[in-house]
Amino acid sequence: MFEIATHLALLLALAAFCAGFIDSIAGGGGLVTVPALLLVGASPVEALATNKLQGSFGSGTAMLAYARAGHVRLREQLWMAAVSAAAGAAGALVAHLIPAEVLRIIMPVVLIGVAAFFALKPGLSDDARAARIPLPVFGATVVPLVAAYDGFFGPGTGSFFMMGFVLLAGYGVLKATAHTKMLNFASNTGSLAVFVFSGATWWGVGLAMAVGQVAGAALGARVAMRVGARLIKPLLVFVSTAMALRLLWQALA
């Protein structure tokens, strides 16, 4: 049934539950699942491919939860989701052209910047503010850049989408979180479509983890909608900082 021992697959499903909860609120679920997959013996390519499979279920669940609650209108965001899916696939295709060592050095600095922005900028709340750029421009520039990054590397994608929506599109924190999920789901599925052809996906393990992802994402989305920015901001700061420290540790180890 599973590509690894059953008890290890169940532990991965538990890790996916935790990741789904975190990811539905602040992004960064891959910080939990990718290392967990590597620890049980997956190769880097197997870990990335399987992570995209199970992560798609989590982001999809969170997306539907926010949509049902009226925080995002999926039809209005379809065009940006299409851009995100195409860019995610393109990112996965060119992954081998980007030296991973370079990204491991650059990304911790960027993630620390994201954490500092949400921690120190006053006035960040669930209230909307004036947009700095029109939404079509945002969808044609920020969305493909972040989605392509998700395709070839991944950590912090949700945080980058969130920061873009807040800083450039003028969204409140909760609305930004809700809109991030559809784009994250699209970039996940776009890159997954490429990884499927690599033959590296652990389907049995990935689907078991998907069950945990769905449960964690559903719970996380409910908690986020109840508490809003009071929960999302500190969790986003924590997750971004944790990802930065882990990437620094990997780069310097």
Side-chain angles (χ1 to χ4, degrees), residues 3-224:
E3 292 82 357
I4 54 175
T6 300
H7 71 282
L8 293 177
L10 293 176
L11 287 174
L12 286 175
L14 178 60
F17 171 83
C18 298
F21 180 84
I22 294 170
D23 202 67
S24 66
I25 300 172
L31 178 69
V32 176
T33 51
V34 172
L37 283 160
L38 292 172
L39 281 173
V40 301
S43 69
V45 174
E46 289 170 338
L48 289 174
T50 306
N51 184 61
K52 292 301 180 187
L53 171 62
Q54 61 91 38
S56 297
F57 283 86
S59 55
T61 299
M63 172 188 74
L64 292 175
Y66 285 116
R68 287 189 188 116
H71 294 290
V72 58
R73 295 179 180 176
L74 298 183
R75 289 185 180 179
E76 295 179 0
Q77 210 184 4
L78 277 176
W79 69 274
M80 281 198 291
V83 171
S84 185
L93 284 170
V94 302
H96 64 285
L97 301 178
I98 310 293
E101 293 74 16
V102 174
L103 289 170
R104 289 194 184 104
I105 294 172
I106 295 174
M107 293 320 301
V109 178
V110 177
L111 286 166
I112 288 172
V114 171
F117 171 77
F118 281 96
L120 303 176
K121 184 172 177 59
L124 288 179
S125 66
D126 292 327
D127 298 325
R129 57 190 58 79
R132 294 176 182 266
I133 61 175
L135 197 58
V137 176
F138 179 87
T141 55
V142 177
V143 171
L145 285 174
V146 177
Y149 161 76
D150 187 33
F152 63 71
F153 197 54
T157 299
S159 302
F160 297 145
F161 273 136
M162 169 96 74
M163 187 172 180
F165 274 121
V166 171
L167 187 60
L168 299 175
Y171 287 13
V173 172
L174 180 58
K175 184 179 179 181
T177 301
H179 282 71
T180 289
K181 297 311 155 194
M182 187 171 187
L183 299 185
N184 212 166
F185 172 72
S187 63
N188 272 339
T189 52
S191 54
L192 174 63
V194 174
F195 278 119
V196 162
F197 293 101
S198 71
T201 307
W202 285 1
W203 290 97
V205 169
L207 292 174
M209 294 178 73
V211 175
Q213 272 278 354
V214 168
L219 178 61
R222 287 176 191 161
V223 172

Side-chain angles (χ1 to χ4, degrees), residues 26-31 108 111 154-157 159 236 238-248:
L31 178 69
L111 286 166
T157 299
S159 302
L236 185 62
F238 170 78
V239 169
S240 297
T241 303
M243 281 190 288
L245 293 175
R246 176 166 181 80
L247 289 171
L248 279 173

